[in-house]
């Protein structure tokens, strides 16, 4: 089983605004780091438009990726240069009260859809962490193959 992750964020200013320039200028760099990270499998790319903007509110941006393990995703998120940008998210994004990030297990070879990500995030928001939708803080291991 692989780990899928989906997250959303609402920009404080349009992506081409000077207020978000540092974020926008580093997107390719951070995406390249993810793609080169151990355990990386797949990510939703800008070429996948309009999937990268699936909400009516166009200030909401999404990321979605697949990893070989929760540890591989954790290491990229918190033990790479990505963390420097994560710490700065308040400069570019609104604080969201509801969960904005979700993870779930998928079979190897499955590429999740944005709709699937949106459904898992909504499931987390409604039910809290479950084996179908969880977070780093409240996580579940994949069920053994039958």
């Amino acid at each position: 089983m692989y780990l899928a992750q989906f997250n959303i964020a609402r920009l404080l200013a349009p992506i081409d605004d000077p207020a978000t320039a540092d974020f926008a200028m580093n997107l390719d760099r951070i995406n390249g780091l993810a793609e080169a990270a151990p355990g990386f499998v797949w990510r939703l790319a800008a070429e996948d438009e309009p999937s990268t903007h699936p909400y009516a509110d166009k200030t909401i941006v999404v990321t979605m990726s697949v990893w070989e393990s929760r540890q591989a995703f954790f290491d990229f998120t918190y033990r790479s240069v990505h963390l420097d940008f994560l710490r700065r998210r308040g400069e570019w994004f609104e604080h969201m009260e509801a969960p904005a990030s979700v993870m779930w297990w998928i079979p190897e070879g499955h590429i999740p859809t944005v709709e699937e990500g949106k459904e898992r995030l909504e499931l987390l928001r409604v039910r809290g962490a479950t084996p179908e939708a969880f977070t780093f803080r409240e996580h579940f291991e994949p069920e053994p193959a039958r």
Side-chain angles (χ1 to χ4, degrees), residues 108-131:
E108 266 185 58
H110 174 71
I111 299 298
T113 66
V114 170
E115 283 305 312
E116 188 178 347
K118 289 172 67 175
E119 289 168 8
R120 298 293 177 139
L121 183 59
E122 186 60 24
L123 184 62
L124 177 66
R125 288 175 168 185
V126 170
R127 294 189 187 161
T130 66

Side-chain angles (χ1 to χ4, degrees), residues 15-99:
I15 194 71
D16 57 354
D17 189 281
T20 57
D22 203 28
F23 170 75
M25 192 168 58
N26 282 285
L27 274 174
D28 288 342
R29 176 179 172 218
I30 297 302
N31 288 335
L33 285 172
E35 292 170 357
F40 172 83
V41 175
W42 171 87
R43 75 173 179 83
L44 183 68
E47 304 82 63
D48 298 325
E49 290 277 359
S51 296
T52 54
H53 295 284
Y55 292 91
D57 179 348
K58 296 306 178 200
T59 64
I60 295 177
V61 294
V62 305
T63 61
M64 187 156 95
S65 56
V66 175
W67 298 81
E68 290 177 356
S69 68
R70 187 172 54 83
Q71 188 63 52
F73 180 50
F74 181 91
D75 289 345
F76 165 71
T77 303
Y78 296 108
R79 295 186 177 145
S80 75
V81 174
H82 176 268
L83 181 59
D84 297 336
F85 290 90
L86 189 59
R87 287 181 175 139
R88 295 179 60 197
R89 66 186 175 264
E91 296 176 34
W92 308 304
F93 300 105
E94 288 181 16
H95 172 73
M96 294 185 156
E97 292 297 325

